[in-house]
Amino acid sequence: MGRCLYEEHLNPGYSLAWRCRVLMRWESAFDDFLVRAELFGVGQDVAPDLWERRFERVARSFDCEGYALCREAESPACAHVCEGICRLALPVCEGRCRHFQLPEANREPSQSK
């Protein structure tokens, strides 16, 4: 898709700048919820219902200029998110560098290892 995955492949999840901002906000909201629930002594039987209501508000209030709805994708249902990484945040691919590899299925028999 015109983006370079080499650095992400070497160190998965290392660069926070490449992570989906929406998912990061949701994770942060969940972490905050857990801390508050513990401080207020919310029981484990009540917490899931409270989080569900809280998440409904959190999920409606995200903003991302690159968001592209894809109903087949997992939450946040964005066409640019792949395993928690925003493809738009990755560096632009400059072409075939020394790290470029075709997927196995696309290689000619002479290129296979």
Side-chain angles (χ1 to χ4, degrees):
M1 295 189 67
R3 302 295 173 151
C4 181
L5 285 167
Y6 181 71
E7 290 295 325
E8 176 63 20
H9 178 71
L10 288 179
N11 297 302
Y14 179 74
S15 178
L16 292 178
W18 298 340
R19 297 218 30 232
C20 171
R21 292 183 343 205
V22 172
L23 291 176
M24 286 178 43
R25 279 191 221 118
W26 289 357
E27 290 168 4
S28 178
F30 183 68
D31 290 344
D32 291 344
F33 170 79
L34 290 178
V35 169
R36 289 180 182 164
E38 186 175 346
L39 288 173
F40 286 105
V42 173
Q44 291 182 350
D45 56 330
V46 178
D49 292 333
L50 291 174
W51 171 246
E52 187 175 333
R53 283 184 280 176
R54 171 79 175 120
F55 183 70
E56 287 174 6
R57 289 190 304 269
V58 170
R60 285 192 306 256
S61 65
F62 75 88
D63 63 296
C64 177
E65 61 277 353
Y67 183 80
L69 178 65
C70 177
R71 296 194 190 284
E72 294 81 36
E74 294 181 16
S75 283
C78 178
H80 302 297
V81 177
C82 179
E83 296 181 17
I85 299 297
C86 177
R87 290 181 183 136
L88 299 179
L90 291 169
V92 174
C93 178
E94 299 295 333
R96 287 193 176 186
C97 67
R98 64 187 179 101
H99 305 295
F100 181 85
Q101 291 183 350
L102 286 172
E104 250 339 286
N106 295 342
R107 291 186 187 171
E108 294 178 16
S110 63
Q111 292 176 323
S112 297
K113 293 178 182 179

